[in-house]
Amino acid sequence: MCALPFLRAPLISAAALLGLAALGLGSAAEARPRAPKAPPGGAAVVVDYGVNLAGFPIGTAQISGAFEGSRYRMDVSAQLTGLVGAVTGGQGSARAAGSFSEKPLPNAFSIATRTSNSGIAVRMALANGNVSRAEITPPLVDMGDRVPVSAAAKRGIVDPASALLMPAQGRGDLADPANCNRTLPVFDGATRFNVVLSYAETRQIEKPGYSGPVLVCNARYVAIGGHRPDRPGVKFMEDNTDMSVWLAPVEGARVLLPMRISVRTTLGTNIIEATRWSRSGGTPTAQASLAAH
């Protein structure tokens, strides 16, 4: 699906749906905080997820977001478990930081993925969402059939971790259906694609730590650059109409985060669904800035 296949597999749900696919990232999900730590005067949320493929549990994931005024920091971790985890050893972590208004404007992004026999690390430096430097270790092998990523396509982008953050549109209700309707211009250091979201319906749900509305958004994948257009996986995802993300508002910050991500794959439907939602803080007007990592 992309130049970083292990990143994609199960969070192409969010991550191609938003960028991290199955959250099968990579370095370590060792330090997964159980409670959110809000910055002074800001808000924070930690969401734990279960990852299922074709009805079988294959892993766990976590998003930790901190919001202070117009600044944000997102930490994402994931680990494959059970037989899949024993065979692949897959785990990983990602971090992004920047500012947001109608969309995230990342300044820094890093991600590391690891399996039992390989690993990939990506680091990007950005200025208000424009890529100034991107490094992949080990470097990608040039197969000669990838669509180039133009300089213009690296401007005004969001990284896979920042793509999970949905700032509210305007000053209306966070449950306004308009908050579904957006296009996410994702760049993961190698591949550039759009995730096009559109409103489907509003549901009421209850989860440990959260009870209230979620926006159900349909999602479509549009390849832009860095992909190999003749690969079956690319064509499958471009034609895939069975993708959705449920967005829940974060109290105390004008943002929404995924409560559930569902993506049909060639192996069955991949579902990443929240099992616990924890929030702290809640003064959305704080102006102190977060340190970018």
Side-chain angles (χ1 to χ4, degrees):
M1 173 61 201
C2 98
L4 306 178
F6 190 71
L7 290 185
R8 282 286 202 290
L11 221 261
I12 198 144
S13 307
L17 234 189
L18 285 37
L20 299 166
L23 262 74
L25 320 177
S27 109
E30 312 107 341
R32 294 165 63 118
R34 285 303 313 162
K37 185 177 181 180
V45 63
V46 173
V47 189
D48 292 321
Y49 298 88
V51 181
N52 292 268
L53 180 62
F56 295 96
I58 64 168
T60 60
Q62 185 183 84
I63 293 175
S64 176
F67 314 101
E68 191 176 1
S70 63
R71 305 288 298 174
Y72 74 91
R73 185 176 67 248
M74 294 283 288
D75 290 280
V76 184
S77 63
Q79 184 169 12
L80 299 181
T81 58
L83 180 60
V84 175
V87 172
T88 66
Q91 59 179 210
S93 61
R95 170 171 287 187
S99 61
F100 68 92
S101 53
E102 292 184 355
K103 66 177 184 179
L105 296 172
N107 292 326
F109 168 72
S110 62
I111 188 170
T113 71
R114 187 178 67 207
T115 66
S116 56
N117 56 12
S118 65
I120 297 174
V122 179
R123 296 181 66 87
M124 283 198 296
L126 309 95
N128 294 320
N130 301 322
V131 179
S132 57
R133 186 179 74 255
E135 300 175 350
I136 301 177
T137 306
L140 296 176
V141 177
D142 185 4
M143 305 300 291
D145 60 349
R146 297 192 189 281
V147 175
V149 181
S150 68
K154 297 179 184 179
R155 298 183 61 82
I157 62 94
V158 292
D159 59 80
S162 298
L164 300 170
L165 166 66
M166 308 284 178
Q169 310 278 14
R171 296 187 176 276
D173 189 342
L174 287 176
D176 187 333
N179 285 317
C180 257
N181 301 325
R182 65 183 79 209
T183 295
L184 309 177
V186 183
F187 181 60
D188 61 13
T191 306
R192 173 70 174 80
F193 58 93
N194 286 346
V195 177
V196 182
L197 301 180
S198 59
Y199 176 74
E201 61 177 317
T202 299
R203 296 188 181 187
Q204 296 290 322
I205 68 165
E206 288 191 16
K207 294 283 185 181
Y210 180 85
S211 178
V214 294
L215 299 178
V216 179
C217 314
N218 294 324
R220 294 297 303 270
Y221 167 84
V222 180
I224 303 295
H227 61 291
R228 302 167 68 183
D230 293 332
R231 301 284 289 183
V234 173
K235 293 183 177 181
F236 177 87
M237 288 307 301
E238 289 185 310
D239 294 335
N240 195 348
T241 59
D242 192 4
M243 298 190 291
S244 65
V245 57
W246 297 9
L247 299 177
V250 177
E251 184 181 349
R254 292 195 56 75
V255 301
L256 301 95
L257 291 178
M259 182 68 74
R260 184 180 192 268
I261 295 163
S262 176
V263 175
R264 181 169 58 90
T265 75
T266 56
L267 299 177
T269 300
N270 177 212
I271 296 177
I272 302 166
E273 187 160 7
T275 57
R276 180 180 177 86
W277 180 284
S278 305
R279 188 198 62 83
S280 69
T283 304
T285 57
Q287 296 301 314
S289 61
L290 290 169
H293 293 277

